[in-house]
Amino acid sequence: MEVPPPHQPLSNRRAYIDLGVISLLTIAVDGARQTLSYSGRPALADWWYLSHQIDRLKALAKTMNNRESTRGVRRLYRQRRLRVHQFVNTTVRRAIEALWVSGVSTLVVGDLTGILANTSWGRKANAMTHNFWGHRHLIQRVKEVGEEYGIAVELVNERGTSSTCPRCEGDQITRRGRLFKCRGCGLEAHRDTVGAVNISVVFGGRINGVVVHPVEVCI
Ligand SMILES: [Zn+2]
């Protein structure tokens, strides 16, 4: 016998989610004029700080005892992983609660193929895409919390969703930092927004007008 989820959807809107590092979740909701961005920056700062501590302790262990690792080093690794997981858990829960309240019943989540192949995010972000969030953990949390709220979660291939213009569908794109610029129609937008809006365009969304910059949600 299947146990029903503790919550049921309040309506049947769809939301489209682009996963990332600097913006952990960028979300476009059917019928909304702006995307929502849940920043990953606080956890990035923590992660970077602890990484420096780890490097320092490792160098010390090498010099003093000619050892690669120590109990202190392992403790810092655990601490780093735990902090990231806690941050991801809190963020995903806040985001899904907010979506549930606004009547979302389905989440369409871009898988991370695009992110893992992305090399234009700079040294920090690249280091993280491989060992920072652990994208499986992130997706797992989205699925689990979605389930609690009776929200269906569909994973889709987001390949190409950050390199096509959501207004004219052109591919003459310039990206500088977080800025996305279409040389075809002149659209300038925040690139996470473009990712989320394009997932919605490809997977049947109804986004009104073109959304340029996301509303950043602080948790
Ligand atoms: Zn365009």
PDB file of all heavy atoms in Angstrom, residues 3 5 7 11 19 35 40 43-44 47-48 72-73 77-78 83 107 109 112 130-131 143 156 166 170 175 184 189:
ATOM      1  N   VAL A   3       1.833   4.999   0.786  1.00  0.00           N
ATOM      2  CA  VAL A   3       1.504   6.026   1.771  1.00  0.00           C
ATOM      3  C   VAL A   3       1.397   7.364   1.046  1.00  0.00           C
ATOM      4  O   VAL A   3       2.315   7.748   0.319  1.00  0.00           O
ATOM      5  CB  VAL A   3       2.610   6.103   2.848  1.00  0.00           C
ATOM      6  CG1 VAL A   3       2.270   7.158   3.899  1.00  0.00           C
ATOM      7  CG2 VAL A   3       2.816   4.746   3.488  1.00  0.00           C
ATOM      8  N   PRO A   5       1.644  11.314   0.275  1.00  0.00           N
ATOM      9  CA  PRO A   5       2.565  12.327   0.816  1.00  0.00           C
ATOM     10  C   PRO A   5       1.838  13.203   1.835  1.00  0.00           C
ATOM     11  O   PRO A   5       0.610  13.350   1.754  1.00  0.00           O
ATOM     12  CB  PRO A   5       2.973  13.138  -0.413  1.00  0.00           C
ATOM     13  CG  PRO A   5       1.936  12.855  -1.439  1.00  0.00           C
ATOM     14  CD  PRO A   5       1.371  11.497  -1.142  1.00  0.00           C
ATOM     15  N   HIS A   7       1.658  16.317   2.078  1.00  0.00           N
ATOM     16  CA  HIS A   7       0.992  17.471   1.468  1.00  0.00           C
ATOM     17  C   HIS A   7       0.481  17.084   0.080  1.00  0.00           C
ATOM     18  O   HIS A   7       1.019  16.177  -0.540  1.00  0.00           O
ATOM     19  CB  HIS A   7       1.959  18.636   1.281  1.00  0.00           C
ATOM     20  CG  HIS A   7       2.517  19.170   2.552  1.00  0.00           C
ATOM     21  ND1 HIS A   7       3.569  18.577   3.199  1.00  0.00           N
ATOM     22  CD2 HIS A   7       2.168  20.244   3.289  1.00  0.00           C
ATOM     23  CE1 HIS A   7       3.844  19.278   4.293  1.00  0.00           C
ATOM     24  NE2 HIS A   7       3.014  20.287   4.376  1.00  0.00           N
ATOM     25  N   SER A  11      -2.476  23.499  -6.577  1.00  0.00           N
ATOM     26  CA  SER A  11      -2.962  23.804  -7.923  1.00  0.00           C
ATOM     27  C   SER A  11      -2.094  22.986  -8.893  1.00  0.00           C
ATOM     28  O   SER A  11      -1.398  22.076  -8.465  1.00  0.00           O
ATOM     29  CB  SER A  11      -2.859  25.307  -8.184  1.00  0.00           C
ATOM     30  OG  SER A  11      -3.396  25.594  -9.461  1.00  0.00           O
ATOM     31  N   LEU A  19      19.865  24.097 -12.221  1.00  0.00           N
ATOM     32  CA  LEU A  19      20.738  23.895 -11.065  1.00  0.00           C
ATOM     33  C   LEU A  19      22.103  24.486 -11.354  1.00  0.00           C
ATOM     34  O   LEU A  19      22.578  24.446 -12.481  1.00  0.00           O
ATOM     35  CB  LEU A  19      20.890  22.406 -10.769  1.00  0.00           C
ATOM     36  CG  LEU A  19      19.601  21.602 -10.573  1.00  0.00           C
ATOM     37  CD1 LEU A  19      19.928  20.124 -10.418  1.00  0.00           C
ATOM     38  CD2 LEU A  19      18.842  22.106  -9.369  1.00  0.00           C
ATOM     39  N   THR A  35      12.180  35.216 -12.784  1.00  0.00           N
ATOM     40  CA  THR A  35      12.689  33.964 -12.218  1.00  0.00           C
ATOM     41  C   THR A  35      13.172  34.229 -10.794  1.00  0.00           C
ATOM     42  O   THR A  35      13.456  35.359 -10.415  1.00  0.00           O
ATOM     43  CB  THR A  35      13.873  33.421 -13.039  1.00  0.00           C
ATOM     44  OG1 THR A  35      14.873  34.420 -13.119  1.00  0.00           O
ATOM     45  CG2 THR A  35      13.436  33.016 -14.428  1.00  0.00           C
ATOM     46  N   GLY A  40      23.982  30.334  -4.116  1.00  0.00           N
ATOM     47  CA  GLY A  40      24.875  29.381  -3.472  1.00  0.00           C
ATOM     48  C   GLY A  40      26.064  30.065  -2.800  1.00  0.00           C
ATOM     49  O   GLY A  40      26.907  29.408  -2.204  1.00  0.00           O
ATOM     50  N   ALA A  43      27.387  29.382   0.916  1.00  0.00           N
ATOM     51  CA  ALA A  43      28.047  28.090   1.076  1.00  0.00           C
ATOM     52  C   ALA A  43      29.385  28.067   0.348  1.00  0.00           C
ATOM     53  O   ALA A  43      30.334  27.421   0.787  1.00  0.00           O
ATOM     54  CB  ALA A  43      27.143  26.966   0.567  1.00  0.00           C
ATOM     55  N   LEU A  44      29.457  28.788  -0.765  1.00  0.00           N
ATOM     56  CA  LEU A  44      30.727  28.863  -1.501  1.00  0.00           C
ATOM     57  C   LEU A  44      31.815  29.482  -0.638  1.00  0.00           C
ATOM     58  O   LEU A  44      32.951  29.006  -0.597  1.00  0.00           O
ATOM     59  CB  LEU A  44      30.578  29.724  -2.756  1.00  0.00           C
ATOM     60  CG  LEU A  44      29.956  29.101  -3.985  1.00  0.00           C
ATOM     61  CD1 LEU A  44      29.925  30.113  -5.113  1.00  0.00           C
ATOM     62  CD2 LEU A  44      30.751  27.888  -4.405  1.00  0.00           C
ATOM     63  N   TRP A  47      32.851  27.015   1.953  1.00  0.00           N
ATOM     64  CA  TRP A  47      33.577  25.916   1.319  1.00  0.00           C
ATOM     65  C   TRP A  47      34.997  26.347   1.011  1.00  0.00           C
ATOM     66  O   TRP A  47      35.948  25.630   1.268  1.00  0.00           O
ATOM     67  CB  TRP A  47      32.865  25.509   0.017  1.00  0.00           C
ATOM     68  CG  TRP A  47      33.363  24.240  -0.596  1.00  0.00           C
ATOM     69  CD1 TRP A  47      32.903  22.974  -0.350  1.00  0.00           C
ATOM     70  CD2 TRP A  47      34.397  24.100  -1.570  1.00  0.00           C
ATOM     71  NE1 TRP A  47      33.591  22.070  -1.103  1.00  0.00           N
ATOM     72  CE2 TRP A  47      34.509  22.727  -1.867  1.00  0.00           C
ATOM     73  CE3 TRP A  47      35.234  25.011  -2.230  1.00  0.00           C
ATOM     74  CZ2 TRP A  47      35.430  22.230  -2.790  1.00  0.00           C
ATOM     75  CZ3 TRP A  47      36.156  24.511  -3.146  1.00  0.00           C
ATOM     76  CH2 TRP A  47      36.244  23.134  -3.414  1.00  0.00           C
ATOM     77  N   TRP A  48      35.126  27.558   0.503  1.00  0.00           N
ATOM     78  CA  TRP A  48      36.443  28.068   0.118  1.00  0.00           C
ATOM     79  C   TRP A  48      37.324  28.280   1.351  1.00  0.00           C
ATOM     80  O   TRP A  48      38.493  27.928   1.375  1.00  0.00           O
ATOM     81  CB  TRP A  48      36.275  29.359  -0.691  1.00  0.00           C
ATOM     82  CG  TRP A  48      37.367  29.519  -1.697  1.00  0.00           C
ATOM     83  CD1 TRP A  48      38.285  30.515  -1.737  1.00  0.00           C
ATOM     84  CD2 TRP A  48      37.656  28.650  -2.791  1.00  0.00           C
ATOM     85  NE1 TRP A  48      39.143  30.310  -2.786  1.00  0.00           N
ATOM     86  CE2 TRP A  48      38.785  29.180  -3.449  1.00  0.00           C
ATOM     87  CE3 TRP A  48      37.094  27.465  -3.279  1.00  0.00           C
ATOM     88  CZ2 TRP A  48      39.361  28.581  -4.570  1.00  0.00           C
ATOM     89  CZ3 TRP A  48      37.661  26.860  -4.389  1.00  0.00           C
ATOM     90  CH2 TRP A  48      38.777  27.425  -5.017  1.00  0.00           C
ATOM     91  N   GLY A  72      42.911  15.768  12.090  1.00  0.00           N
ATOM     92  CA  GLY A  72      42.422  17.141  11.926  1.00  0.00           C
ATOM     93  C   GLY A  72      41.991  17.421  10.485  1.00  0.00           C
ATOM     94  O   GLY A  72      40.968  18.065  10.240  1.00  0.00           O
ATOM     95  N   VAL A  73      42.769  16.918   9.542  1.00  0.00           N
ATOM     96  CA  VAL A  73      42.450  17.121   8.126  1.00  0.00           C
ATOM     97  C   VAL A  73      41.145  16.416   7.781  1.00  0.00           C
ATOM     98  O   VAL A  73      40.248  16.994   7.146  1.00  0.00           O
ATOM     99  CB  VAL A  73      43.595  16.601   7.217  1.00  0.00           C
ATOM    100  CG1 VAL A  73      43.162  16.555   5.758  1.00  0.00           C
ATOM    101  CG2 VAL A  73      44.846  17.474   7.376  1.00  0.00           C
ATOM    102  N   TYR A  77      37.488  17.920   6.370  1.00  0.00           N
ATOM    103  CA  TYR A  77      36.784  17.430   5.175  1.00  0.00           C
ATOM    104  C   TYR A  77      35.331  17.103   5.509  1.00  0.00           C
ATOM    105  O   TYR A  77      34.410  17.451   4.776  1.00  0.00           O
ATOM    106  CB  TYR A  77      37.458  16.167   4.612  1.00  0.00           C
ATOM    107  CG  TYR A  77      38.569  16.451   3.625  1.00  0.00           C
ATOM    108  CD1 TYR A  77      39.877  16.023   3.870  1.00  0.00           C
ATOM    109  CD2 TYR A  77      38.308  17.116   2.422  1.00  0.00           C
ATOM    110  CE1 TYR A  77      40.896  16.273   2.957  1.00  0.00           C
ATOM    111  CE2 TYR A  77      39.320  17.362   1.508  1.00  0.00           C
ATOM    112  CZ  TYR A  77      40.619  16.943   1.777  1.00  0.00           C
ATOM    113  OH  TYR A  77      41.610  17.185   0.876  1.00  0.00           O
ATOM    114  N   ARG A  78      35.146  16.420   6.660  1.00  0.00           N
ATOM    115  CA  ARG A  78      33.777  16.070   7.078  1.00  0.00           C
ATOM    116  C   ARG A  78      32.946  17.317   7.318  1.00  0.00           C
ATOM    117  O   ARG A  78      31.802  17.406   6.916  1.00  0.00           O
ATOM    118  CB  ARG A  78      33.807  15.228   8.366  1.00  0.00           C
ATOM    119  CG  ARG A  78      33.896  13.727   8.134  1.00  0.00           C
ATOM    120  CD  ARG A  78      33.497  12.959   9.389  1.00  0.00           C
ATOM    121  NE  ARG A  78      34.243  13.352  10.583  1.00  0.00           N
ATOM    122  CZ  ARG A  78      35.467  12.916  10.885  1.00  0.00           C
ATOM    123  NH1 ARG A  78      36.080  12.049  10.102  1.00  0.00           N
ATOM    124  NH2 ARG A  78      36.088  13.328  11.979  1.00  0.00           N
ATOM    125  N   ARG A  83      28.604  20.992   6.005  1.00  0.00           N
ATOM    126  CA  ARG A  83      28.101  22.371   5.829  1.00  0.00           C
ATOM    127  C   ARG A  83      27.399  22.521   4.486  1.00  0.00           C
ATOM    128  O   ARG A  83      26.345  23.136   4.395  1.00  0.00           O
ATOM    129  CB  ARG A  83      29.258  23.358   5.877  1.00  0.00           C
ATOM    130  CG  ARG A  83      29.847  23.472   7.235  1.00  0.00           C
ATOM    131  CD  ARG A  83      29.819  24.903   7.736  1.00  0.00           C
ATOM    132  NE  ARG A  83      30.629  24.998   8.923  1.00  0.00           N
ATOM    133  CZ  ARG A  83      31.572  25.912   9.102  1.00  0.00           C
ATOM    134  NH1 ARG A  83      31.805  26.806   8.155  1.00  0.00           N
ATOM    135  NH2 ARG A  83      32.273  25.932  10.195  1.00  0.00           N
ATOM    136  N   LEU A 107       7.772  19.780 -10.965  1.00  0.00           N
ATOM    137  CA  LEU A 107       9.060  20.451 -11.147  1.00  0.00           C
ATOM    138  C   LEU A 107       9.776  19.802 -12.311  1.00  0.00           C
ATOM    139  O   LEU A 107       9.929  18.580 -12.343  1.00  0.00           O
ATOM    140  CB  LEU A 107       9.948  20.279  -9.908  1.00  0.00           C
ATOM    141  CG  LEU A 107       9.489  20.851  -8.579  1.00  0.00           C
ATOM    142  CD1 LEU A 107      10.529  20.534  -7.509  1.00  0.00           C
ATOM    143  CD2 LEU A 107       9.332  22.356  -8.721  1.00  0.00           C
ATOM    144  N   VAL A 109      13.301  19.612 -13.846  1.00  0.00           N
ATOM    145  CA  VAL A 109      14.650  19.942 -13.394  1.00  0.00           C
ATOM    146  C   VAL A 109      15.670  19.581 -14.471  1.00  0.00           C
ATOM    147  O   VAL A 109      15.722  18.439 -14.920  1.00  0.00           O
ATOM    148  CB  VAL A 109      14.980  19.157 -12.100  1.00  0.00           C
ATOM    149  CG1 VAL A 109      16.360  19.537 -11.573  1.00  0.00           C
ATOM    150  CG2 VAL A 109      13.919  19.424 -11.033  1.00  0.00           C
ATOM    151  N   LEU A 112      22.482  17.928 -14.860  1.00  0.00           N
ATOM    152  CA  LEU A 112      23.665  18.786 -14.807  1.00  0.00           C
ATOM    153  C   LEU A 112      24.678  18.581 -15.914  1.00  0.00           C
ATOM    154  O   LEU A 112      25.783  19.086 -15.832  1.00  0.00           O
ATOM    155  CB  LEU A 112      24.353  18.606 -13.457  1.00  0.00           C
ATOM    156  CG  LEU A 112      23.527  19.134 -12.289  1.00  0.00           C
ATOM    157  CD1 LEU A 112      24.230  18.883 -10.985  1.00  0.00           C
ATOM    158  CD2 LEU A 112      23.279  20.610 -12.458  1.00  0.00           C
ATOM    159  N   HIS A 130      32.920  19.694  -9.605  1.00  0.00           N
ATOM    160  CA  HIS A 130      33.310  18.290  -9.485  1.00  0.00           C
ATOM    161  C   HIS A 130      33.260  17.767  -8.071  1.00  0.00           C
ATOM    162  O   HIS A 130      33.003  16.595  -7.862  1.00  0.00           O
ATOM    163  CB  HIS A 130      34.685  18.079 -10.122  1.00  0.00           C
ATOM    164  CG  HIS A 130      34.621  18.319 -11.594  1.00  0.00           C
ATOM    165  ND1 HIS A 130      34.020  17.425 -12.452  1.00  0.00           N
ATOM    166  CD2 HIS A 130      34.982  19.386 -12.344  1.00  0.00           C
ATOM    167  CE1 HIS A 130      34.036  17.913 -13.668  1.00  0.00           C
ATOM    168  NE2 HIS A 130      34.615  19.108 -13.639  1.00  0.00           N
ATOM    169  N   ASN A 131      33.500  18.611  -7.086  1.00  0.00           N
ATOM    170  CA  ASN A 131      33.488  18.052  -5.734  1.00  0.00           C
ATOM    171  C   ASN A 131      32.776  18.917  -4.712  1.00  0.00           C
ATOM    172  O   ASN A 131      32.950  18.764  -3.530  1.00  0.00           O
ATOM    173  CB  ASN A 131      34.919  17.765  -5.270  1.00  0.00           C
ATOM    174  CG  ASN A 131      35.801  18.982  -5.477  1.00  0.00           C
ATOM    175  OD1 ASN A 131      35.295  20.090  -5.579  1.00  0.00           O
ATOM    176  ND2 ASN A 131      37.094  18.791  -5.540  1.00  0.00           N
ATOM    177  N   LYS A 143      14.161  15.671  -5.236  1.00  0.00           N
ATOM    178  CA  LYS A 143      13.176  14.587  -5.391  1.00  0.00           C
ATOM    179  C   LYS A 143      12.469  14.278  -4.074  1.00  0.00           C
ATOM    180  O   LYS A 143      11.249  14.151  -4.016  1.00  0.00           O
ATOM    181  CB  LYS A 143      13.878  13.308  -5.862  1.00  0.00           C
ATOM    182  CG  LYS A 143      14.169  13.255  -7.339  1.00  0.00           C
ATOM    183  CD  LYS A 143      14.756  11.888  -7.644  1.00  0.00           C
ATOM    184  CE  LYS A 143      15.061  11.694  -9.096  1.00  0.00           C
ATOM    185  NZ  LYS A 143      15.888  10.470  -9.293  1.00  0.00           N
ATOM    186  N   VAL A 156      15.173  16.445 -16.856  1.00  0.00           N
ATOM    187  CA  VAL A 156      15.293  16.579 -18.305  1.00  0.00           C
ATOM    188  C   VAL A 156      16.724  16.969 -18.677  1.00  0.00           C
ATOM    189  O   VAL A 156      17.461  17.521 -17.868  1.00  0.00           O
ATOM    190  CB  VAL A 156      14.310  17.640 -18.860  1.00  0.00           C
ATOM    191  CG1 VAL A 156      12.874  17.222 -18.606  1.00  0.00           C
ATOM    192  CG2 VAL A 156      14.582  19.018 -18.238  1.00  0.00           C
ATOM    193  N   PRO A 166      16.386  32.813 -25.500  1.00  0.00           N
ATOM    194  CA  PRO A 166      14.985  32.464 -25.234  1.00  0.00           C
ATOM    195  C   PRO A 166      13.993  33.351 -25.995  1.00  0.00           C
ATOM    196  O   PRO A 166      12.829  33.017 -26.091  1.00  0.00           O
ATOM    197  CB  PRO A 166      14.846  32.672 -23.721  1.00  0.00           C
ATOM    198  CG  PRO A 166      15.923  33.623 -23.343  1.00  0.00           C
ATOM    199  CD  PRO A 166      17.043  33.422 -24.339  1.00  0.00           C
ATOM    200  N   GLY A 170      18.011  32.246 -31.372  1.00  0.00           N
ATOM    201  CA  GLY A 170      19.288  32.286 -32.080  1.00  0.00           C
ATOM    202  C   GLY A 170      20.415  31.703 -31.225  1.00  0.00           C
ATOM    203  O   GLY A 170      20.255  31.540 -30.018  1.00  0.00           O
ATOM    204  N   ARG A 175      28.830  35.460 -23.877  1.00  0.00           N
ATOM    205  CA  ARG A 175      28.683  35.392 -22.429  1.00  0.00           C
ATOM    206  C   ARG A 175      29.879  36.027 -21.763  1.00  0.00           C
ATOM    207  O   ARG A 175      31.016  35.734 -22.099  1.00  0.00           O
ATOM    208  CB  ARG A 175      28.552  33.925 -21.990  1.00  0.00           C
ATOM    209  CG  ARG A 175      27.123  33.444 -22.099  1.00  0.00           C
ATOM    210  CD  ARG A 175      27.032  31.977 -21.834  1.00  0.00           C
ATOM    211  NE  ARG A 175      27.586  31.232 -22.950  1.00  0.00           N
ATOM    212  CZ  ARG A 175      27.409  29.934 -23.113  1.00  0.00           C
ATOM    213  NH1 ARG A 175      26.724  29.247 -22.227  1.00  0.00           N
ATOM    214  NH2 ARG A 175      27.945  29.318 -24.140  1.00  0.00           N
ATOM    215  N   GLY A 184      21.871  38.302 -32.064  1.00  0.00           N
ATOM    216  CA  GLY A 184      20.777  38.308 -33.034  1.00  0.00           C
ATOM    217  C   GLY A 184      19.743  39.378 -32.732  1.00  0.00           C
ATOM    218  O   GLY A 184      19.480  40.260 -33.551  1.00  0.00           O
ATOM    219  N   ALA A 189      20.628  39.399 -20.716  1.00  0.00           N
ATOM    220  CA  ALA A 189      19.962  38.798 -19.559  1.00  0.00           C
ATOM    221  C   ALA A 189      20.977  38.128 -18.652  1.00  0.00           C
ATOM    222  O   ALA A 189      22.129  37.917 -19.024  1.00  0.00           O
ATOM    223  CB  ALA A 189      18.928  37.774 -20.026  1.00  0.00           C
TER     224      ALA A 189
END
